[in-house]
Coordinates of all heavy atoms in Angstrom, one line a residue:
E1 N -22.7 -7.2 9.7 CA -23.7 -8.0 10.5 C -23.6 -9.5 10.1 O -23.9 -10.3 11.0 CB -25.1 -7.4 10.3 CG -25.2 -6.1 11.0 CD -26.6 -5.5 10.7 OE1 -27.5 -6.2 10.3 OE2 -26.7 -4.3 11.0
K2 N -23.3 -9.8 8.9 CA -23.3 -11.2 8.4 C -22.1 -11.9 8.8 O -22.1 -13.1 9.0 CB -23.5 -11.2 6.9 CG -24.8 -10.8 6.4 CD -24.9 -10.8 4.9 CE -26.2 -10.3 4.4 NZ -26.3 -10.2 3.0
D3 N -21.0 -11.2 8.9 CA -19.7 -11.9 9.2 C -18.8 -11.0 10.0 O -17.7 -10.6 9.5 CB -19.0 -12.2 7.8 CG -17.9 -13.2 7.9 OD1 -17.5 -13.6 9.0 OD2 -17.3 -13.5 6.8
P4 N -19.2 -10.7 11.2 CA -18.4 -9.7 12.0 C -17.0 -10.0 12.3 O -16.1 -9.2 12.3 CB -19.2 -9.6 13.4 CG -20.1 -10.8 13.4 CD -20.3 -11.3 12.0
E5 N -16.7 -11.3 12.5 CA -15.3 -11.7 12.8 C -14.3 -11.4 11.7 O -13.3 -10.8 11.8 CB -15.2 -13.1 13.2 CG -13.9 -13.6 13.8 CD -13.9 -15.0 14.3 OE1 -14.8 -15.4 15.0 OE2 -12.9 -15.7 14.0
N6 N -14.8 -11.9 10.5 CA -13.9 -11.7 9.3 C -13.8 -10.2 8.9 O -12.8 -9.7 8.4 CB -14.4 -12.5 8.1 CG -14.0 -14.0 8.3 OD1 -12.9 -14.3 8.9 ND2 -14.8 -14.9 7.9
V7 N -14.9 -9.5 9.0 CA -14.9 -8.0 8.7 C -14.0 -7.3 9.6 O -13.2 -6.5 9.1 CB -16.3 -7.5 8.7 CG1 -16.3 -5.9 8.6 CG2 -17.2 -8.0 7.6
K8 N -14.0 -7.6 10.9 CA -13.1 -6.9 11.8 C -11.6 -7.2 11.5 O -10.8 -6.3 11.5 CB -13.5 -7.3 13.3 CG -14.8 -6.6 13.7 CD -15.2 -7.1 15.1 CE -16.5 -6.5 15.5 NZ -17.0 -7.0 16.7
K9 N -11.4 -8.5 11.2 CA -10.0 -8.9 10.8 C -9.6 -8.1 9.5 O -8.5 -7.6 9.4 CB -9.9 -10.4 10.6 CG -8.6 -10.9 10.2 CD -8.6 -12.4 10.1 CE -7.2 -12.9 9.7 NZ -7.2 -14.4 9.5
A10 N -10.5 -8.1 8.5 CA -10.1 -7.4 7.3 C -9.9 -5.9 7.5 O -9.0 -5.3 6.9 CB -11.3 -7.6 6.3
F11 N -10.7 -5.3 8.4 CA -10.5 -3.9 8.7 C -9.2 -3.6 9.4 O -8.6 -2.5 9.3 CB -11.7 -3.3 9.4 CG -12.8 -2.9 8.5 CD1 -14.1 -3.0 8.9 CD2 -12.6 -2.5 7.2 CE1 -15.2 -2.7 8.1 CE2 -13.6 -2.2 6.3 CZ -14.9 -2.3 6.8
T12 N -8.7 -4.5 10.2 CA -7.5 -4.4 10.9 C -6.4 -4.2 9.8 O -5.6 -3.3 9.9 CB -7.2 -5.6 11.8 OG1 -8.2 -5.7 12.8 CG2 -5.8 -5.4 12.4
F13 N -6.4 -5.1 8.8 CA -5.4 -5.0 7.7 C -5.6 -3.7 6.9 O -4.7 -3.0 6.5 CB -5.4 -6.2 6.9 CG -4.8 -7.4 7.5 CD1 -5.6 -8.4 8.0 CD2 -3.4 -7.5 7.7 CE1 -5.0 -9.5 8.7 CE2 -2.8 -8.6 8.3 CZ -3.6 -9.6 8.8
F14 N -6.9 -3.3 6.7 CA -7.2 -2.1 5.9 C -6.6 -0.9 6.6 O -6.0 -0.1 5.9 CB -8.7 -2.0 5.7 CG -9.1 -0.9 4.8 CD1 -9.2 -1.1 3.5 CD2 -9.5 0.3 5.3 CE1 -9.6 -0.1 2.6 CE2 -9.9 1.4 4.5 CZ -9.9 1.2 3.1
I15 N -6.8 -0.8 7.9 CA -6.3 0.4 8.6 C -4.8 0.4 8.6 O -4.2 1.5 8.4 CB -6.9 0.4 10.1 CG1 -8.4 0.6 10.0 CG2 -6.1 1.4 11.0 CD1 -9.1 0.3 11.3
I16 N -4.2 -0.8 8.8 CA -2.7 -0.8 8.8 C -2.2 -0.4 7.4 O -1.2 0.4 7.3 CB -2.2 -2.2 9.1 CG1 -2.5 -2.5 10.6 CG2 -0.7 -2.4 8.9 CD1 -2.3 -4.0 11.0
Q17 N -2.8 -0.9 6.3 CA -2.3 -0.5 5.0 C -2.5 1.0 4.7 O -1.7 1.6 4.1 CB -2.9 -1.4 3.9 CG -4.3 -1.3 3.6 CD -4.7 -0.1 2.7 OE1 -3.9 0.5 2.0 NE2 -5.9 0.4 2.8
L18 N -3.6 1.5 5.2 CA -3.8 2.9 5.0 C -2.8 3.8 5.8 O -2.2 4.8 5.3 CB -5.2 3.3 5.5 CG -5.9 4.5 4.9 CD1 -5.9 4.4 3.3 CD2 -7.4 4.6 5.4
A19 N -2.4 3.3 7.0 CA -1.4 4.0 7.7 C 0.0 3.9 7.0 O 0.8 4.8 7.0 CB -1.3 3.4 9.2
L20 N 0.3 2.7 6.5 CA 1.5 2.5 5.8 C 1.6 3.3 4.5 O 2.6 3.8 4.1 CB 1.8 1.0 5.5 CG 2.1 0.1 6.7 CD1 2.1 -1.3 6.3 CD2 3.5 0.5 7.3
N21 N 0.4 3.5 3.9 CA 0.3 4.3 2.7 C 0.8 5.7 3.0 O 1.6 6.3 2.3 CB -1.2 4.3 2.2 CG -1.4 5.1 1.0 OD1 -1.0 6.2 0.9 ND2 -2.1 4.5 0.0
A22 N 0.3 6.3 4.1 CA 0.6 7.6 4.5 C 2.1 7.7 4.9 O 2.8 8.6 4.6 CB -0.3 8.1 5.6
A23 N 2.5 6.7 5.6 CA 3.9 6.7 6.2 C 4.9 6.7 5.0 O 6.0 7.3 5.2 CB 4.1 5.4 7.1
W24 N 4.6 6.0 3.9 CA 5.6 6.0 2.8 C 5.9 7.4 2.3 O 7.0 7.7 2.1 CB 5.1 5.1 1.7 CG 6.1 5.0 0.6 CD1 7.1 4.1 0.5 CD2 6.3 5.9 -0.5 NE1 7.9 4.4 -0.6 CE2 7.4 5.5 -1.2 CE3 5.6 7.0 -1.0 CZ2 7.8 6.1 -2.4 CZ3 6.0 7.7 -2.1 CH2 7.1 7.2 -2.8
S25 N 4.9 8.2 2.2 CA 5.1 9.6 1.7 C 6.0 10.3 2.7 O 6.8 11.1 2.2 CB 3.7 10.3 1.5 OG 3.0 9.7 0.5
V26 N 5.7 10.1 3.9 CA 6.6 10.8 4.9 C 8.0 10.4 4.8 O 9.0 11.2 4.8 CB 6.0 10.6 6.4 CG1 7.0 11.1 7.4 CG2 4.7 11.2 6.5
I27 N 8.2 9.1 4.7 CA 9.6 8.5 4.7 C 10.3 8.9 3.4 O 11.5 9.4 3.4 CB 9.6 7.0 4.8 CG1 9.0 6.6 6.2 CG2 10.9 6.4 4.6 CD1 8.6 5.1 6.3
F28 N 9.6 8.8 2.3 CA 10.3 9.1 1.0 C 10.5 10.6 0.8 O 11.6 11.1 0.5 CB 9.5 8.5 -0.2 CG 10.2 8.5 -1.5 CD1 11.1 7.5 -1.9 CD2 10.1 9.6 -2.3 CE1 11.7 7.6 -3.1 CE2 10.7 9.7 -3.5 CZ 11.6 8.7 -3.9
F29 N 9.4 11.3 0.9 CA 9.4 12.7 0.5 C 9.8 13.7 1.6 O 10.4 14.7 1.4 CB 8.0 13.2 -0.1 CG 7.8 12.6 -1.5 CD1 6.9 11.6 -1.7 CD2 8.5 13.2 -2.5 CE1 6.7 11.1 -2.9 CE2 8.3 12.7 -3.8 CZ 7.4 11.6 -4.0
Y30 N 9.3 13.4 2.9 CA 9.7 14.3 4.0 C 11.0 14.0 4.5 O 11.9 14.9 4.8 CB 8.6 14.3 5.0 CG 8.8 15.3 6.2 CD1 8.6 16.6 6.0 CD2 9.3 14.8 7.4 CE1 8.8 17.5 7.0 CE2 9.5 15.7 8.4 CZ 9.3 17.1 8.2 OH 9.5 18.0 9.2
L31 N 11.3 12.7 4.8 CA 12.6 12.4 5.3 C 13.7 12.2 4.2 O 14.9 12.0 4.6 CB 12.5 11.0 6.1 CG 11.6 11.1 7.3 CD1 11.5 9.7 8.0 CD2 12.0 12.2 8.3
H32 N 13.3 12.2 3.0 CA 14.2 12.0 1.8 C 15.0 10.8 2.0 O 16.2 10.8 1.8 CB 15.1 13.3 1.7 CG 14.4 14.5 1.6 ND1 15.0 15.7 1.7 CD2 13.1 14.8 1.2 CE1 14.2 16.7 1.5 NE2 13.0 16.2 1.2
N33 N 14.3 9.7 2.3 CA 15.0 8.4 2.5 C 14.5 7.3 1.7 O 13.6 6.5 2.1 CB 14.9 8.1 4.0 CG 15.9 7.0 4.4 OD1 16.2 6.1 3.6 ND2 16.3 7.0 5.7
P34 N 14.9 7.2 0.4 CA 14.4 6.2 -0.5 C 14.7 4.7 0.0 O 13.9 3.8 -0.3 CB 15.2 6.4 -1.8 CG 15.5 7.9 -1.8 CD 15.8 8.1 -0.3
F35 N 15.8 4.5 0.7 CA 16.1 3.1 1.2 C 15.1 2.7 2.2 O 14.5 1.6 2.1 CB 17.5 3.0 1.7 CG 17.8 1.6 2.2 CD1 17.9 0.5 1.3 CD2 17.9 1.3 3.5 CE1 18.1 -0.7 1.7 CE2 18.2 0.1 4.0 CZ 18.3 -1.0 3.1
L36 N 14.9 3.5 3.2 CA 13.9 3.2 4.3 C 12.5 3.1 3.7 O 11.7 2.2 4.0 CB 13.9 4.2 5.4 CG 13.1 4.0 6.6 CD1 13.4 2.6 7.2 CD2 13.2 5.1 7.6
A37 N 12.2 4.0 2.7 CA 10.9 3.9 2.0 C 10.8 2.6 1.3 O 9.7 2.0 1.2 CB 10.8 5.1 1.1
L38 N 11.8 2.1 0.7 CA 11.8 0.8 0.0 C 11.5 -0.3 1.0 O 10.6 -1.2 0.7 CB 13.1 0.5 -0.7 CG 13.3 -0.8 -1.4 CD1 12.2 -1.0 -2.5 CD2 14.7 -0.9 -2.0

């Protein structure tokens, strides 16, 4: 409520990093691809 524009921007990055967090596990452990995971 105090800073809607900056909070929404911050949450965009938060959501992206959370998705990348999950994606790393898939790439490294499920796809067995350490280079792509890197």
